[in-house]
Every structure is written in C-alpha cells, then in structure tokens.
Amino acid sequence: MRMDKKIRMKARKVEFFYGTTQILHGIDLDIFENNVTAIIGPSGCGKSTFIRLLNRMHELVPSARLKGEITLDGKSITSADVDPVEIRRKVGMVFQKPNPFPKSIFENVAYGLEVNGVKDRHFIEDRVVSSLKKAALWQEVEKRLHDSALSLSGGQQQRLCIARCLAIEPEVILFDEPCASLDPISTHKVEELILELKKDYTIVIVTHNMQQAARVSDHTGFFYMGKLVEFGRTEDMFTRPREKRTEDYITGRFG
Amino acid sequence: MKIKVKRIKEILGFGVLHVCMLCVLMILAVIVYDIVSKGSGVISWDFLTKPPVDGMTKGGIFPAILGTFFVTLMTAVLAVPLGMGCAIYLNEYARDDGLTRFIRLSIRNLSGVPSIVFGLFGVALFVDACHFGTSILSAGATLGLMTLPLTITASEEALKTVPRSYREGALALGATKWQAIRYNVLPLAIPGILTGMILGLSRAAGETAPILFTGAAFFLPDVPNSILSQFMALPYHLYIMSTQHHNIALVRPIAYGTALVLIVLVFLMNLVAVIIRYRLRKKGNAHG
C-alpha cells in the first residue's frame, strides 16, 4: 500500500520571509519515498518558494529568512551547520525553463560528477550514458554527444537537465514546473519519465496543470496564499476534496 | 494635412540627428587628418627604433615607445587581477547592503577624480611611502589605480550578463559557489571583462599626469633595465616636445610623429579588444 511508504522529507512549522514579507505560513508536509508529491496552487501562492527550500536554493536571495525545520531522513537540512552543497547533492532540482549549460551534451551530464571531484574518465563516461538512458534521451543524442546542448529542442533540453541531475544520483528530485515551457508531446515524454523515475527516486513536482498533477502524482498539496490548505492522496483530493477552496481551485472556479 | 506636418517633423528630426552625427565624425576626421598629415613625414624605421639625439631635435622615440609598453604592461599585471577580483566579489559574493552600495558609489566617484590627483597620490604612496622611487613600478601602480573604476565597472557589467539560471543550475548539481563562478560564469563573462580591461589599459597608455611625478623621465638614452628604473613614455614625450623643449618650432614634426605613434598604439589596443571579443563570442556561439 502506498500509505505504508516511508517518509523521506518532512517540513514542520515552516515560515518563510523575504525581508519583512511573509511568503509561507506554518507549512507541515510529508514527502513519501518513491512517491510523486505534487504541489499545486495559483500563481504567487508560494509553491515554487516552498520546493526551493527543500534543497536550500532559497539562500541565493540574500533577504530570505526561514523558520521551522525541514528534515531529510530525520536529519535537519536547514540548520546553520549543514552545508547546502551536501544537501544539493542528495536533493536534485530541475527548473521551470530548461537551463543546460552552453557546453556539449556530454559535458552537461558530466558536470555534476566533475564538480563533486570524480576524476575517473571511464566512470564518468559510463555514468553519462546510463543517465542519458534513464532520462530517455540516449537514442536521440547517442551520435552527437559532443554537440552543443543548446542545439537540442526545448523538450530534449529539459530531459538533458533531468539526465544531468540523475548523474549525481540524488535521492530526491525536485521539479519546478518542468513542463511550463514545453509543447504537449514533450510534456507527455517528461511525465512518462517522472513515472518511470519514481521507482528509484522520491519526487516532488510543482505544477500549474491540474491534469498533470492528477496523472503523475501519488500525493498532492494545495497551496493558497502561503498556506497549505490541504494535503492528501491525489485520488482522494481530486475526487473528494475536504476543503471548499481546494474544490473550487481543482474545478477551475478560480486561479 | 496633419499627416503631412508629422512627416515634415520626422524628416526634420532625422536631419538634425544626422547633422549631429556628421559633426562628431568630422571632428574625429579632422583630428586624425591633422596628426597623420603632419606626423607621417617623420615616421621612418629609424624614428621607431633609435633614441633621440642632439638635445632631442633629431633621432627617434624608441625609448618612449618601449617605456609606454613596459608601464602599460605593469599596469595590466597590477590592475587586471585586482579589478577582476573586486568585480567578482562585488557581483557574486557581496550582500547587497549599505556597505556594498557605499563601495560601489566610491568606485564610481573614483572614476571622476582628475588624473593629476592620482599622480600626486602615487607620489605620496608608491614613490615615498613604499620607497619604490620614481619608477615603472610606481607609475604602473598609479595608472592601475586610475583604471580600476573602469575595469571593475566593465567586469561587473560583463558578470551581470550571465543568466542567473546558469548559476542556479550549477549550484543545484552540488557545485560550490566558486565552482559555479569558475566553470559557468567566468567563461561567459571573460570576453566582456577582457574588453573592459583593454579599454582601461589603452586609456592608461595615453595618460600623462599620473606618470609625470611617479616615473616618467625627460630624457634617457638607454632603455629601462628593471621595474625600478625610470622610463620615457610617449604621452610625456609629446608633452615635452610641444611645450617644454628649448626649440619647440624645430621639433614640431617630432611631436606630431610621437602623437601619431601614440594614437596608432591606442587604436591597435582597441582593435585587439574588438577582435578578442568577436572571437570569444563566436567560439561561445559555436559552443552554444
């Protein structure tokens, strides 16, 4: 049963501020192992802000301030003595807009290994191939590994970013609206990939697309104005939402 | 009727803008023509490779060319790493707080300080306090300080053009901040940084006031043999030839020749900046 899954990440009483503006209010949320957890909600509800906390990308904004605690396997990732670089190796991230580096396809996938000190060329080559295969991109790029990553289509670029993330073997992967700039066919490919990846990884996905959340996720959290309005199993949430606001949002009455 | 009036206004407007542009071009053309026509006569192989003789009324300007080359090199060695370092710190590491804003404001203001003031400061700090004496080192350091605002600002602008998503992508893969800067930001920012550096250096190469008291010599028969030697420099030589020489009318052609060599040198440096920028940009595009 899905409900028996282990909890990998936990957010407890998370409050988040940019300067004096409070963005998130008292978020409690569990992320289950080998599950896809979808975060939905209207623009500006804090959902992207929330997943950026899960690998401490929020720290790039100097005025960011976090209260409460987030844990990975029971250990805090948010306390000051934890190195964010360490966390980001375990919790990978794929961004809204594909952002391959202006380097070759091969170099893009090898990048994470190289910055993490892997020197063995054979190991790197094997890992690049296996990551591209896992990201369902291998067949398309097999013969052009040393071409620029920017010569790929948008959908291919996004799968390359996924491969790049897989190469460092994270435990959790965060997807921040990964299909927002993709066409329907590419979106479909990425969704299939996410379903495939959850066998090996724990996944969190922020999405604007209700159908996407319904198709790929096991759990869904609905954010509204910086609060987690409702969290539960996706099928329950989409068939029998407990909260009126969740129902209104899901059925398209606002947002 | 109304449309016709608008049309006339448009033509007039364009006309005025064209005239402005032509004026600027003409001034530039007149300067270049004046210097080339009066200076090209004295240019010869000997003029470029021999020292001045007979109380600087004959001979060449070789020591001045070499001196300018050395002092510019010294400026580069001191100012390029310092300028790049400051720009990387300000743009990538420093928090955007009151202190950073104050530093930025100071840098901008520094670029408005007259070069003669830098010259005096160079005497006080490098010549006297640091005991470098009047030398290539003192002059290079003074010129380096003078060009810092320009090189820092240009480098910062270049760093700003690198999209944030490259930094985020690198950090999300477990890169440290320095790795993200080293492997993702700098390769894209280098063309812009280099261009800023060379433009700063070409300005330094043409300055007289900062080297006046810090190392430039009126006349030296030999080329400098260490960074603590004094040196002759093209802009200072030009200044002497046009105002301080005992027979200004006689050496006027040499002054024009010196001016010509100096502007050709500065143009060449700017050309190198353009070429580097163009080639690195092309390479960047081929790569992506």
Side-chain angles (χ1 to χ4, degrees), chain A residues 162-173:
Chain A
I162 296 171
R164 189 171 74 176
C165 177
L166 296 177
I168 54 169
E169 301 206 314
E171 293 160 29
V172 180
I173 305 177

Side-chain angles (χ1 to χ4, degrees), chain A residues 73-219:
Chain A
D73 296 330
K75 273 183 251 150
S76 170
I77 64 164
T78 43
S79 60
D81 58 334
V82 177
D83 183 2
V85 172
E86 209 58 48
I87 299 305
R88 291 173 194 146
R89 275 174 210 167
K90 290 186 192 160
V91 184
M93 186 166 216
V94 175
F95 296 85
Q96 180 172 352
K97 213 170 144 250
N99 61 345
F101 304 130
K103 300 170 186 279
S104 75
I105 294 167
F106 184 93
E107 286 168 325
N108 262 278
V109 186
Y111 182 91
L113 297 170
E114 280 161 2
V115 295
N116 285 305
V118 179
K119 295 261 178 344
D120 183 346
R121 289 316 294 177
H122 280 294
F123 180 84
I124 292 177
E125 278 166 27
D126 289 349
R127 185 63 71 76
V128 168
V129 174
S130 68
S131 303
L132 285 168
K133 280 181 179 160
K134 276 195 224 164
L137 190 61
W138 175 246
Q139 290 189 335
E140 292 155 64
V141 301
E142 190 178 0
K143 297 208 168 59
R144 45 191 286 218
L145 285 179
H146 298 286
D147 288 4
S148 167
L150 301 186
S151 66
L152 299 172
S153 72
Q156 289 173 325
Q157 287 188 8
Q158 195 59 304
R159 277 178 287 144
L160 178 67
C161 291
I162 296 171
R164 189 171 74 176
C165 177
L166 296 177
I168 54 169
E169 301 206 314
E171 293 160 29
V172 180
I173 305 177
L174 311 172
F175 288 88
D176 186 3
E177 294 186 46
C179 303
S181 61
L182 303 185
D183 65 62
I185 295 169
S186 303
T187 299
H188 178 67
K189 282 188 184 154
V190 171
E191 284 181 11
E192 280 194 327
L193 187 55
I194 289 173
L195 287 174
E196 187 63 31
L197 290 174
K198 79 168 187 177
K199 291 173 190 158
D200 300 314
Y201 304 91
T202 300
I203 289 169
V204 185
I205 176 173
V206 163
T207 179
H208 259 127
N209 181 328
M210 234 63 63
Q211 286 78 29
Q212 184 168 65
R215 282 192 299 261
V216 302
S217 71
D218 304 288
H219 288 85

